[in-house]
Amino acid sequence: MGIWPNNKRIAVMITFNFAAETLWLSRNPTNAANFAALSRGQYGPTQGLPRILAMMAVYGVKGTFFTPGWVAEKYAALLKDIHAQGHEIAYHGYLHEETLGISYEEEAANMEKSEKIIERIIGKKPVGHRAPNETMHPFTLEMIHKRGYLYSSNLSDCDKAYLHTLDGKAISLVELPIDTICDDNYYYFFALNPPVRRGISSSGTMIGIWKDEFAGLAEEGDKVLSLVIHPQLSGRTSRINALGEFIGYMKSRGAWIAKSEEVARYILSQKHGRRAKGI
């Protein structure tokens, strides 16, 4: 038996890294002068996102959009639309910064700037954190806990949701794990300019792997699955159709498909008597 609402077998979060052009700017700053590269980032907001929102409406599910502050500001009308349709907006850096060794003060400034932008646009501060490219710093967990975040979705150390600890004590900060196996970036991303990555998988290959992962975790009954999806990659017609079919497949097989915030709040409501690692 599962631990999820209505005895569902697994908690599934359909999450989007809505990075747009910042995905290309953060990987290679010279892309600022490369219109072709930036146009690939722009495909997400202009083409991929409308398809994603339409597909999610057809299947009656809500997702979480991790959005850099720069993207939120540039595409404010789209952000309002995402929020108005009942999806969650969460933190994903300001300019999709992936810099290791950044200072506490610099990171705090990025967060402050992005939080204010998002709150100004949708009227609510983000409560979820996903670092760009999962670039975590020694102070990240303490910082986001102090800033009132409910969850982190960055780490790959467990198939279960769990509470983080600080100074040996469990805190009200949930980890909703992710892994490269369920990230479309590792199947679809292609670039000829640094950092070079070649080879594109079919949607059938990716969804086949995701189905196997889903089936194994659902069988165990107490696990979470976070899909990490990029509108500029999965928003193409063939790929979005395959993603929609997979969502229908999971719904028909006992998945609780919810926003990351909903899963985190459920975990926090059940935290008494549960272990800090491996809830």
Side-chain angles (χ1 to χ4, degrees), residues 32 54-55 110 171 195 204 222:
M55 179 273 293
N110 286 335
I171 58 174
D222 58 351

Side-chain angles (χ1 to χ4, degrees), residues 12-177:
V12 174
M13 290 149 285
I14 304 169
T15 76
F16 299 90
N17 287 358
F18 184 30
E21 297 100 313
T22 65
L23 182 67
W24 297 87
L25 293 169
S26 61
R27 289 171 182 267
N28 182 356
T30 66
N31 280 332
N34 184 342
F35 181 76
L38 294 181
S39 71
R40 292 181 65 183
Q42 292 161 356
Y43 186 91
T46 62
Q47 301 294 308
L49 185 64
R51 290 184 185 127
I52 285 168
L53 293 177
M55 179 273 293
M56 299 282 276
V58 166
Y59 286 93
V61 293
K62 304 300 180 185
T64 300
F65 288 76
F66 292 92
T67 307
W70 186 93
V71 175
E73 195 162 43
K74 180 172 181 179
Y75 298 103
L78 289 178
L79 206 72
K80 288 180 181 178
D81 192 27
I82 294 168
H83 176 68
Q85 293 190 40
H87 303 288
E88 177 189 359
I89 307 297
Y91 177 83
H92 199 43
Y94 173 72
L95 198 61
H96 202 267
E97 300 85 358
E98 302 177 14
T99 309
L100 285 170
I102 194 172
S103 71
Y104 187 101
E105 291 73 22
E106 289 173 298
E107 181 67 353
N110 286 335
M111 295 195 75
E112 182 77 16
K113 187 191 313 186
S114 296
E115 290 164 1
K116 286 183 176 180
I117 290 170
I118 291 171
E119 185 174 22
R120 184 177 72 245
I121 295 169
I122 67 169
K124 178 184 177 182
K125 288 179 63 176
V127 297
H129 176 279
R130 178 173 291 160
N133 205 28
E134 295 85 60
T135 304
M136 299 282 279
H137 311 293
F139 51 77
T140 297
L141 294 175
E142 181 179 6
M143 174 181 283
I144 64 177
H145 178 54
K146 287 182 177 179
R147 298 186 73 86
Y149 282 73
L150 297 180
Y151 70 89
S152 154
S153 186
N154 292 288
L155 304 182
S156 306
D157 56 343
C158 195
D159 293 321
K160 299 180 180 182
Y162 61 87
L163 297 182
H164 280 288
T165 61
L166 284 177
D167 300 323
K169 296 181 180 179
I171 58 174
S172 296
L173 180 67
V174 179
E175 183 63 38
L176 301 175

Side-chain angles (χ1 to χ4, degrees), residues 2-12 221 254-258 262-263 265-267 269-270:
I3 66 169
W4 304 110
N6 300 315
N7 206 34
K8 293 292 186 179
R9 302 172 62 204
I10 184 173
V12 174
W256 176 41
I257 300 179
E262 292 176 307
V263 177
R265 289 191 185 280
Y266 180 78
I267 290 293
S269 75
Q270 303 292 307

Side-chain angles (χ1 to χ4, degrees), residues 184-207:
D184 69 349
N185 179 54
Y186 295 93
Y187 302 90
Y188 292 159
F189 189 82
F190 179 93
L192 293 176
N193 57 328
V196 173
R197 186 184 295 169
R198 305 186 183 197
I200 297 178
S201 299
S202 69
S203 57
T205 296
M206 184 182 81
I207 297 300

